Amino acid sequence: MEQPSYYSILTANVRYDPRLKNHADCKVLYSEITALSNKSGYCHATNKYFSKLYDRPVPTISKWINLLKDCGYLKIVMIKDGKQIKERRIYPISTPINVDVKENITSINNTSKNKVLSDAQHSTQDVFTLWQDNWGWPNGIATQDLTEWINEFGADLVHHAITFALRRNITSKGADRYLAKTFERYDQQSIRTVEQAKQSEQQHQQQMSREYQQKSGSRKLQPINEGLPEWFKKQQEEQPNKQHYERIDDSGDPMPHD
């Protein structure tokens, strides 16, 4: 396997996780896995490949991968053909930074934001599972974006935003861009809870409904006030003269009115 040309990602939660404080090599390995996962959303490199890449024994690589897995940053899926393992897929996963990890992480230092995170009904895993079940495993860029959004807005709001996007039939190709616009709007409107998001969506829907009704009303047919054609006017002017000869005598000639 050739070395990837894709850029790698090392998220803040991996960098500052105290469980990885003395395992800098694990962080580099995680970053490498994100690079290899950029195209398909997962990495299928073997421990032997990583051993050769970093000049470390295979058991050491296995230890690093297991540590990252135990910390919740990797998901391992074995693809089998019968009882034989055909391929190992490594999915990089990110979780929100815990408030106890590092005091100077500005994204979670706000008290109200901490409350939103602590009161969350959905976990980071719920968010990634929702994405995976509908759009497949997120690639490296989507993984980083999801992590940042969860850190900033909380898992509940991110879960809601994804659910709302699914109801609008957003495809996997446009999911990351659509959500980026959504959270940009949330930030502009200071939306930080699901209730605030629902209220904003309801107001937007009402506004769209009003605009639609206004446009529909303006398209209604208006009464036609066109002038009468000249030939019709002339016919109307001649009509009294013709009506003057309504009675007919025995000879068939019209007779004038009395």
Side-chain angles (χ1 to χ4, degrees):
M1 181 182 294
E2 298 180 358
Q3 294 184 6
S5 58
Y6 304 109
Y7 62 84
S8 63
I9 298 172
L10 185 58
T11 56
N13 36 344
V14 175
R15 292 198 306 271
Y16 298 123
D17 193 319
R19 296 170 294 180
L20 302 176
K21 183 178 181 180
N22 298 321
H23 299 279
D25 291 334
C26 282
K27 299 176 184 180
V28 175
L29 177 61
Y30 174 84
S31 179
E32 184 70 26
I33 291 173
T34 65
L36 293 169
S37 302
N38 190 283
K39 184 176 181 180
S40 302
Y42 63 86
C43 161
H44 58 81
T46 63
N47 288 0
K48 186 176 180 180
Y49 166 80
F50 290 124
S51 173
K52 184 177 180 181
L53 182 65
Y54 292 115
D55 193 23
R56 293 290 190 277
V58 171
T60 301
I61 299 298
S62 179
K63 181 180 178 181
W64 293 350
I65 290 178
N66 285 331
L67 178 58
L68 289 168
K69 179 184 175 183
D70 292 341
C71 290
Y73 297 122
L74 296 180
K75 179 177 181 178
I76 310 298
V77 176
M78 297 296 185
I79 306 300
K80 295 183 178 181
D81 185 3
K83 294 184 179 181
Q84 184 179 1
I85 297 176
K86 186 178 180 180
E87 182 184 29
R88 179 187 68 176
R89 295 181 179 179
I90 307 175
Y91 295 90
I93 299 174
S94 297
T95 56
I97 303 173
N98 188 289
V99 295
D100 296 327
V101 171
K102 198 171 182 65
E103 293 181 357
N104 63 351
I105 303 300
T106 57
S107 63
I108 59 172
N109 273 347
N110 184 276
T111 302
S112 60
K113 189 178 299 181
N114 287 346
K115 187 177 188 303
V116 169
L117 294 176
S118 64
D119 291 345
Q121 300 298 315
H122 294 94
S123 66
T124 297
Q125 187 62 48
D126 292 336
V127 172
F128 277 86
T129 298
L130 181 62
W131 183 296
Q132 174 198 354
D133 290 345
N134 293 279
W135 294 323
W137 277 93
N139 60 23
I141 296 175
T143 297
Q144 183 179 21
D145 287 342
L146 281 171
T147 302
E148 292 178 353
W149 293 331
I150 292 171
N151 290 339
E152 177 69 19
F153 298 93
D156 276 352
L157 191 52
V158 178
H159 193 280
H160 169 78
I162 294 175
T163 302
F164 186 79
L166 291 170
R167 289 203 301 266
R168 303 198 66 177
N169 297 319
I170 301 300
T171 63
S172 58
K173 185 177 180 180
D176 191 65
R177 181 179 299 178
Y178 176 85
L179 290 172
K181 291 291 185 182
T182 297
F183 288 109
E184 181 180 349
R185 177 171 59 84
Y186 284 175
D187 191 52
Q188 292 173 349
Q189 298 179 5
S190 299
I191 293 175
R192 289 298 184 275
T193 68
V194 174
E195 290 303 320
Q196 290 173 340
K198 288 181 177 179
Q199 184 178 4
S200 175
E201 291 157 6
Q202 184 178 11
Q203 291 173 350
H204 177 72
Q205 185 63 34
Q206 292 173 348
Q207 177 64 26
M208 293 293 291
S209 178
R210 286 193 296 268
E211 292 179 0
Y212 176 78
Q213 291 175 359
Q214 291 173 358
K215 290 180 180 179
S216 298
S218 64
R219 287 196 294 266
K220 292 181 179 179
L221 294 177
Q222 301 296 328
I224 299 175
N225 294 318
E226 296 180 356
L228 296 175
E230 292 298 325
W231 63 266
F232 186 79
K233 291 180 180 180
K234 186 176 180 181
Q235 187 181 53
Q236 291 295 96
E237 292 173 355
E238 295 175 351
Q239 192 67 21
N241 296 329
K242 292 181 180 180
Q243 292 176 351
H244 187 69
Y245 299 95
E246 289 180 353
R247 291 181 299 166
I248 300 176
D249 63 8
D250 295 338
S251 64
D253 294 327
M255 298 176 62
H257 285 285
D258 295 336

